[in-house]
Amino acid sequence: MALPRVLVAAPASGHGKTTIAVGIMAALSRRGHVVAPAKVGPDYIDPGYHALATGRPSRTLDPWLVGEERVAPLLARGATHPVAADVAVLEGVMGLLDGRLGTDGFASSAHVAALTRTPVVLVVDISSTSRTVAATVLGLTRIDSALEVVGVVLNKAGTPRHGAEARRAVEGVGVPVWGVLPRDAAMHVPSRHLGLVPAAERGRAAATLDHIAGVAEQHLDLDALLTAAAGAPPLQTTPWSPAQALGREPAPLPDDAPVVAVAGGRAFTFRYPETVELIQAAGARVVEVDPARDTVLPERTRGLYLGGGFPEVHARALATNRELVGQIGAAVAAGMPTVAECAGMLYLAQSLDDHPMIGSLPARAAMGRRLTLGYREGVSLTDSVIGPAGTTVTGHEFHRTTTDPPAGTSAAWRLGERDEGFALDPAGTGRATLIASYLHTHWAGSPAVASSFVDAVREHDARRGAGGVAPTQGPTQDLVGRRDPMTEGAPRGPKGHPSRTAPTRGMSPSGAGASQETPVDPLRHHGDAEVAEELVDLAVNVRLEQPPAWLAAALRDELDAVAAYPDPTAARDALAARHGLRREQVLPTSGGAEAFTLLARALRPLDAVVVHPQFTEPEAALRAAGHEVRRVLLRADEGFALTPDALAEIGDADLVVVGNPTNPTGVLHPADVLRSLARPGRVLLVDEAFVDAVPHEAETLLTGDLDGVLVVRSLTKTWAVAGVRAGYLAGDPELVAALAAHQPHWSVGSLALRVMTETATPRALAEAGRAAQETAVWRRHLLDGLHALGVPTAGADAPFVLAQVGTGVHAALRDAGWAVRRGDTFPGLDPTWVRVAVRDPLTVDGLLRELGHLLHRRTA
């Protein structure tokens, strides 16, 4: 068959072949070409980006996993299914010649290129070289006569002159250069302990992909690439067929075919497409179930396939889906045929990093210190639903977790000199119905496993009869557009107040139905009081679980100098330069909270106004210093906006405190409206603790006239350093000096000052900008989910969302394992409101699942 194709390879890992390969796929797709993606090596993550770029599954071409004879047929399958492709783009693995150790390059990119007679394009990182790159390229073109290197892409050029020098050198040895790409941080795909973050988990994956495609179109000669691809010889093979692999004729599934539930969603992204195709060809219907969202198994589920992924990253979200956890546990105990690979095994364990899991396996799992990675040959040790004892498969391990014990009394596999995994028969059927291990297998290389598994599923179906496990659609899916009658007609925060101005004395009442005891002082109640070890934390607005590696390294470095008293000069200069201000306009503080205390000490306001609902610490500080405080309450039915009536209520106040974006409403007030509050004789303090989570820091007041204006900033949320207490205030230099006079000497420690200097750099600001963009995508996911449940929300410009879920829901969520911030301790809000921190979509999906379940029970 004629198939234009190229294989993107590199001299070693880290040269950028994934980015370039995905960029080529996306750019060609943009041009209207149908692109068939493929990946060399036992990879799951890169193919996710391939699928995102091309709209079709990526085929894994690994001679070890599937056998040399199946590599070309699987490539042909990908090029013809579901429709014929115009061109195939294969991404290599590691270095061009690197394969299974001790086998002279078996399963390397070069091996696959030779098996499929595919031309090679090299991606070479030139960031630390220039002309010497020509020697590397020349060596790779000549080392193997079976290889045809048709072009080179030079990556990470520091300057145009640098790139031109490297280009001349490579072209001088007779190899065409198809493009020179500059260093571009926006093309970076974040990594975690097993490699790149899967596309399904990245809120900005589509936007990043769009950018990468644009860069590829701008810098690569795609026409030359297509010409070289068209020169590939015909592929002398027929496409792989799942039915033929099983020795069967293709046939449609009968209506009464049993269902195999396959774990999916963002936590379980590791699965080869051939697995599903083989299960269906063998006679079972495949339905994906998301263990983070779905509360029931699909109807007529008679088998489970739990593949790989990252349950350790989302353990709490999985553990809190108690209904599905219980149902899977019961199904496994009743003898349902179950195959669990790596992540699936962790999910079935008793616990994962101390989070309770399903408990079907007599083992506990936890993150380990080292990565286990490598090809394995497995021999089954017992008769099971995947075949008789002695069944041999090829596979690979890829994990950083460990289990205790590493194998059961009846282990699943013998891997060389050790036993691994679990083979259990919980229902006493006479053979193991549960196979769980770290071994990843590619069923195209072992089709008998798929056949045996589906035969067992059909037998289990016959024993169970036609009854269903559970309805396909769970209660959450029935909630779209439904309103909670508990909130229908309930007071909308401050709506209905005869006046926006609240009295100065006496705290706002605590909410009936709150899950915790009424705070002694509601103004001093903060999100950290809502958090407990067993709860998923959506109450605290810290973005990360720990600081970025570069910031953590800087803090460790600073520890060597903590014997000296802290000097804020460098931090003050860095912050001033970051905002284009003078040194005397900036004051480092011990978190944003110290700024409010300094304000209360330094000023003697006659009419102090705090605009609520907002962060309560400024009012608490003013009251503690003996000042009277007048509250101006913004209304929910007006979007908590600073309307003309609200501005009029402020009157002639000589001190006005307002948040932007406001905590907890999430409202971002227009800068010109806030500037209208500045006037002679008045101090305007704007709390911008969360403005760095707003793309481009829109509506900040630090870009204009600061007469009479103070702006408070916090660095703890974006950079996950709440324990370090790093913040600052900036504005009118006379006001800054007045507050500085009341600041205790050395109140800001060396570590906090180092945070200020490090996070003011262009690199850090670029990272914060990318985080703000990602937060915006995640926030939209949360808002869309809440609105689908009929839950009213407030603003949409902060790393949290204010939602009106109804009385008692805060407590019910807490009982279900979810911590959200109660709203009734904010003046102007009542117990129907909660504040929800924006988290990754998988965690959000878990919350939406639980919230939908609670609201459904109320309406049932």
Side-chain angles (χ1 to χ4, degrees), residues 798-822:
F800 47 81
V801 169
L802 184 66
Q804 193 167 36
V805 295
T807 303
V809 173
H810 172 269
L813 283 173
R814 192 173 183 85
D815 290 341
W818 298 86
V820 295
R821 172 69 159 87
R822 61 192 288 178

Side-chain angles (χ1 to χ4, degrees), residues 322-373:
R322 296 170 183 173
E323 185 171 350
L324 184 64
V325 164
Q327 193 175 93
I328 290 177
V332 172
M336 179 178 288
T338 300
V339 173
E341 295 187 345
C342 200
M345 178 177 67
L346 306 183
Y347 184 48
L348 292 177
Q350 292 176 340
S351 64
L352 173 55
D353 285 335
D354 295 327
H355 301 297
M357 292 286 109
I358 289 176
S360 299
L361 298 176
R364 298 180 180 274
M367 284 294 295
R369 293 187 175 183
R370 66 181 185 90
L371 176 66
T372 298
L373 173 66

Side-chain angles (χ1 to χ4, degrees), residues 436-447:
S437 77
Y438 275 121
L439 188 67
H440 293 283
T441 57
H442 195 309
W443 285 9
S446 306

Side-chain angles (χ1 to χ4, degrees), residues 7-18 20 90-98 109-110 120-125 136 140 153 155:
L7 188 151
V8 181
S13 296
H15 281 243
K17 62 179 176 290
T18 297
I20 303 303
L90 291 64
E91 181 194 339
V93 60
M94 298 185 293
L96 175 61
L97 305 172
D98 301 329
S109 300
V120 173
V121 54
L122 288 175
V123 175
V124 186
D125 180 351
T136 300
L140 290 174
V153 174
N155 195 21

Side-chain angles (χ1 to χ4, degrees), residues 10-53:
S13 296
H15 281 243
K17 62 179 176 290
T18 297
T19 301
I20 303 303
V22 170
I24 291 170
M25 295 174 190
L28 293 178
S29 296
R30 272 187 177 186
R31 287 189 172 190
H33 296 285
V34 179
V35 181
K39 171 65 181 177
V40 180
D43 199 326
Y44 296 102
I45 299 176
D46 293 352
Y49 287 92
H50 298 179
L52 191 64

Side-chain angles (χ1 to χ4, degrees), residues 316 528-537 814 819:
R316 287 185 175 181
D528 58 334
E530 307 271 3
V531 178
E533 181 64 30
E534 68 276 10
L535 302 179
V536 182
D537 175 15
R814 192 173 183 85

